[in-house]
Amino acid sequence: MRFDDRFLDELKSRLRPSDVIGRTVKLKRQGREWVGLSPFTKEKSPSFFVNDDKGFFHDFSSGKHGDVISFLQETERLSFPEAVERLAAEAGMQMPAEDPQAAEREQKRQGLADWMDLAQKWFAANLRRSVGKAARDYLERRGLPEDQWERFGLGYAPNDREGLKTALVQRGAKPGELVEAGLLIAPEGGGSPYDRFRDRLMFPILDARGRLVSFGGRAMNPDDRAKYLNGPESPLFHKGATLYGLPEARRILGAASKSTESVIVVEGYMDVIACQRAGLPAVAPMGTALTEEQMALLWRVSTEPVLCFDGDGAGQRAAFRAIERALPLLKPDRTFSFVALPDGKDPDDLLRERGAPALREALTNTQPFSRMLFERERAAVGPLDTPEKEANLLLRLRKAAATIGDPDLARTYKDYLVGAFYQSVRPSEQERKQAHRTLYRDRRAKRAAQIMDVTPEGRASALTLSKAPKPILSAIVEGLIANPSLIQERAELLATQSLGDVGLDRLVSDLVMLTYDAEGIGEAMIRARLSAMGHEETLRRIDRTAAISHAPFLAAGASLDDVRRWLTKAIEVLLDALALTRALDELKRDDHFDARAFSEMKAQRDQVDRYLTGGTLWAEERATVH
């Protein structure tokens, strides 16, 4: 049985090698690794090492090397499918169904990957030829010496409409394959495909496993409309799930002397290269804001990645956007910290002007997520020169804390943010004491009363909206079933946020799992499998109520782009309403109940409810289209 790469990646990401191997080999922590006696040979001194960050074991005494799957194959004499099945059960993953098309897709993917590798070699050769002089001059000005070009796979795409196409077709490629790989562009009106990248410095983009999946190109002509150009979505490349520089960043982390070192997220290719040359494990998104998939990838590498932005207004806005997207996903062991570089510099500037020590020092001056969140909410309110604005800030802080999916962390954030408000906005002696009590008072009695809410049913009842907009909840789930690609893009968010309905939450959890276990699965098959998994009654309930929501993303004639935009907007507004409801519930349990804040927050929550269920949302969305 063949297994899809995404299934195997997800399986290994859910299991720590030291946990799996530690059941049969006694391991001890040694820096960033675990060490023990070899299970393959008899020895007195340990020479068997396990590295969780890199996901492998290495046995110096026998020379054996591999991951958790090969470890089970070696030690328990299991076949590859048997080892995968054993680990999948441990990770709580369903084995993918037999898919006769999977082998065909993998073969096709490998064929495209071969052409990508040849393209990279062609670009690299051009960088050293006379045609690449402008690119070489640019690299010299940026202080990147020639001995570093190969390390980062740099190349040059000449200003030739069919240069790469001709080179690869002569090697046996079909133009259609090169279009599908993102190397060529097929004109919309017909005609012969032509090179996508022309007169550009080329940066190879590798996936998390170190495989070449796309390219990014920087224009050498300053008049070019697109300074940077990435390859398109393809069978190899999903922009929202890829981070530039990740394999090298992992290597740097693995070699770091401190196990607490964090991966750093910067904004551009040259910034990544600058940091990695200075020994810093940096990555960059593909020219856009961080997606939920990229955040999940970062948290697999380190528990507190550092988001680095320019110190200007644009950098601050980018940081605030990252906060908004990350907030629902935070957990006690998953957060971010932030750093703003001085004087509008970027990492590449600092490296060239002041050297690696200055860059490393600048990137250690971080701010925690909680403080940046407080500053974001305070900036949104503006000068606190009236009681109304102060009350608005308090309301925003409570709502922001309630957006966090983890209930314990949400309560802790609420205490911190409210305490920070009193400490910074009303710093009288009496209010300092009040803030201190808010931050550190003994919550044991209250926590005992909350034990009844730790079950999924209890949590769901606490999150149920007062208006109980079942039709819109049903419509959203119906829309997700019909658009499984959107599920994968929002998987992290869907996995951490309750919809306020136990049955729907369980169905969505299984729905997320289905789309990962069976790539490309259609709507009819999804419904059949959900029914087989015990969701038949919930599906009937969805069918009965979704239609009366009048959600336009369920309309038969809606375009795919409109469906995705409307459905995404509906999810965002629903989560906003649920966050307000959680904040209200938390406020009711507060030792110092604030009736005014409760009244204002309830009015805001009711307004969002009406916005969701009264048709206003759809009218506004349609107006933006027309």
Side-chain angles (χ1 to χ4, degrees):
M1 179 179 182
R2 289 187 66 90
F3 296 97
D4 184 84
D5 285 340
R6 294 181 63 181
F7 175 82
L8 295 176
D9 288 344
E10 176 69 13
L11 173 64
K12 286 185 278 191
S13 73
R14 292 191 182 193
L15 299 170
R16 278 198 297 262
S18 60
D19 290 339
V20 176
I21 297 171
R23 289 196 296 269
T24 54
V25 180
K26 187 176 181 180
L27 299 174
K28 291 184 178 181
R29 168 74 78 174
Q30 189 176 94
R32 296 184 64 89
E33 295 183 313
W34 298 83
V35 62
L37 296 175
S38 170
F40 308 113
T41 63
K42 293 183 178 180
E43 61 179 7
K44 296 182 179 180
S45 298
S47 65
F48 179 80
F49 289 83
V50 179
N51 190 306
D52 285 337
D53 293 332
K54 297 178 180 179
F56 64 69
F57 71 86
H58 185 81
D59 181 27
F60 285 93
S61 66
S62 66
K64 295 183 184 294
H65 177 96
D67 56 19
V68 288
I69 300 173
S70 58
F71 180 81
L72 289 186
Q73 289 181 271
E74 289 281 353
T75 58
E76 301 189 28
R77 298 295 186 264
L78 299 178
S79 68
F80 185 82
E82 289 171 337
V84 171
E85 185 173 5
R86 171 88 63 84
L87 293 170
E90 183 175 340
M93 294 177 65
Q94 291 185 345
M95 291 286 285
E98 289 283 356
D99 184 359
Q101 298 176 337
E104 182 180 346
R105 286 197 302 268
E106 181 59 26
Q107 184 177 10
K108 181 179 180 181
R109 187 194 183 285
Q110 186 56 53
L112 298 181
D114 290 341
W115 298 127
M116 297 293 283
D117 290 336
L118 287 174
Q120 195 276 329
K121 292 181 174 65
W122 190 78
F123 290 139
N126 283 321
L127 182 59
R128 288 173 166 78
R129 294 174 179 145
S130 58
V131 70
K133 184 177 186 309
R136 294 196 300 273
D137 291 343
Y138 170 80
L139 292 173
E140 184 178 353
R141 291 194 301 272
R142 297 298 294 260
L144 188 63
E146 185 175 352
D147 60 7
Q148 295 291 299
W149 298 352
E150 184 176 352
R151 174 185 176 185
F152 298 104
L154 303 184
Y156 174 68
N159 193 15
D160 185 337
R161 188 177 175 87
E162 295 192 346
L164 176 63
K165 174 184 173 182
T166 300
L168 295 185
V169 168
Q170 288 176 349
R171 300 290 297 271
K174 297 177 181 178
E177 293 176 324
L178 303 181
V179 170
E180 193 170 10
L183 295 171
L184 303 186
I185 295 175
E188 292 184 5
S192 178
Y194 56 90
D195 288 6
R196 177 178 297 276
F197 300 101
R198 301 182 303 280
D199 193 23
R200 289 180 179 271
L201 176 65
M202 301 299 292
F203 301 84
I205 298 171
L206 311 181
D207 67 7
R209 296 174 62 184
R211 301 174 301 184
L212 177 58
V213 294
S214 189
F215 291 94
R218 188 202 188 278
M220 291 293 95
N221 184 350
D223 296 327
D224 199 302
R225 286 185 301 174
K227 182 177 178 181
Y228 282 94
L229 178 67
N230 292 321
E233 297 283 318
S234 75
L236 300 174
F237 179 49
H238 176 29
K239 180 168 25 177
T242 308
L243 291 164
Y244 176 73
L246 181 58
E248 178 69 4
R250 277 179 163 163
R251 188 195 66 77
I252 294 172
L253 279 171
S257 57
K258 295 187 298 182
S259 61
T260 55
E261 185 147 16
S262 296
V263 66
I264 302 162
V265 184
V266 294
E267 296 188 63
Y269 299 130
M270 292 301 293
D271 292 331
V272 170
I273 290 173
C275 289
Q276 292 185 356
R277 289 182 60 208
L280 295 166
V283 298
M286 300 292 106
T288 58
L290 276 173
T291 67
E292 290 147 10
E293 289 175 282
Q294 289 168 334
M295 290 180 182
L297 196 55
L298 288 167
W299 280 320
R300 291 173 190 168
V301 178
S302 59
T303 59
E304 190 173 345
V306 178
L307 304 186
C308 175
F309 298 99
D310 294 343
D312 55 13
Q316 185 183 61
R317 288 190 294 273
F320 288 172
R321 286 195 300 270
I323 288 173
E324 182 174 4
R325 178 156 284 185
L327 191 60
L329 309 175
L330 296 185
K331 292 185 178 180
D333 59 348
R334 294 196 332 186
T335 188
F336 289 106
S337 56
F338 296 80
V339 63
L341 296 181
D343 305 324
K345 303 290 186 182
D346 59 33
D348 188 44
D349 294 330
L350 282 175
L351 179 67
R352 286 185 287 115
E353 295 175 9
R354 306 182 195 174
L359 177 59
R360 294 187 69 90
E361 182 180 357
L363 291 174
T364 59
N365 188 25
T366 61
Q367 289 280 354
F369 192 100
S370 53
R371 189 66 209 177
M372 288 293 293
L373 175 60
F374 179 84
E375 294 300 333
R376 186 191 76 155
E377 299 307 320
R378 182 164 185 169
V381 173
L384 300 176
D385 48 12
T386 67
E388 290 79 8
K389 289 183 178 179
E390 289 189 6
N392 185 28
L393 176 56
L394 263 177
L395 186 151
R396 291 182 64 94
L397 293 171
R398 290 180 182 275
K399 178 186 170 185
T403 303
I404 299 172
D406 184 280
D408 291 331
L409 186 61
R411 283 189 285 270
T412 303
Y413 256 74
K414 188 267 296 182
D415 287 350
Y416 168 80
L417 293 171
V418 171
F421 169 85
Y422 284 113
Q423 288 175 335
S424 63
V425 177
R426 298 178 181 174
S428 69
E429 184 62 31
Q430 181 179 356
E431 286 162 336
R432 281 198 191 96
K433 293 178 181 178
Q434 175 61 47
H436 189 274
R437 286 194 297 271
T438 302
L439 278 168
Y440 303 111
R441 65 178 178 270
D442 186 351
R443 302 178 64 91
R444 271 178 284 182
K446 183 185 294 185
R447 292 293 294 141
Q450 292 167 351
I451 289 175
M452 297 300 293
D453 286 335
V454 299
T455 65
E457 292 79 7
R459 284 195 297 270
S461 65
L463 295 176
T464 301
L465 292 174
S466 61
K467 301 287 184 180
K470 295 298 183 184
I472 190 61
L473 280 172
S474 297
I476 287 173
V477 177
E478 187 86 9
L480 289 171
I481 292 173
N483 296 273
S485 62
L486 186 61
I487 297 173
Q488 293 184 2
E489 293 176 13
R490 311 305 296 273
E492 283 293 313
L493 187 62
L494 293 169
T496 56
Q497 295 288 300
S498 171
L499 294 178
D501 182 293
V502 175
L504 294 183
D505 283 344
R506 290 173 177 165
L507 185 147
V508 169
S509 177
D510 286 341
L511 184 58
V512 171
M513 187 72 68
L514 275 178
T515 59
Y516 275 108
D517 285 350
E519 183 180 3
I521 187 173
E523 180 181 354
M525 183 61 73
I526 285 177
R527 291 183 181 278
R529 292 194 180 181
L530 288 174
S531 294
M533 296 167 75
H535 298 292
E536 190 170 1
E537 176 56 36
T538 304
L539 288 170
R540 279 199 293 267
R541 184 158 58 97
I542 290 171
D543 291 338
R544 287 196 300 267
T545 57
I548 62 176
S549 71
H550 305 295
F553 52 78
L554 298 181
S559 70
L560 181 60
D561 288 343
D562 285 345
V563 167
R564 291 171 65 83
R565 186 178 67 257
W566 281 329
L567 182 54
T568 298
K569 182 67 173 179
I571 293 171
E572 291 173 352
V573 176
L574 175 65
L575 294 178
D576 194 34
L578 292 168
L580 283 167
T581 298
R582 286 197 296 269
L584 282 169
D585 290 344
E586 185 66 26
L587 187 56
K588 283 188 289 188
R589 291 195 292 265
D590 201 297
D591 291 345
H592 305 278
F593 180 76
D594 187 333
R596 178 178 175 180
F598 183 87
S599 177
E600 291 179 354
M601 191 177 296
K602 185 177 184 301
Q604 186 176 346
R605 194 278 312 277
D606 291 345
Q607 181 180 3
V608 175
D609 281 2
R610 290 191 294 271
Y611 187 65
L612 256 176
T613 60
T616 308
L617 173 62
W618 317 129
E620 289 185 3
E621 284 295 300
R622 286 190 175 99
T624 61
V625 176
H626 302 292

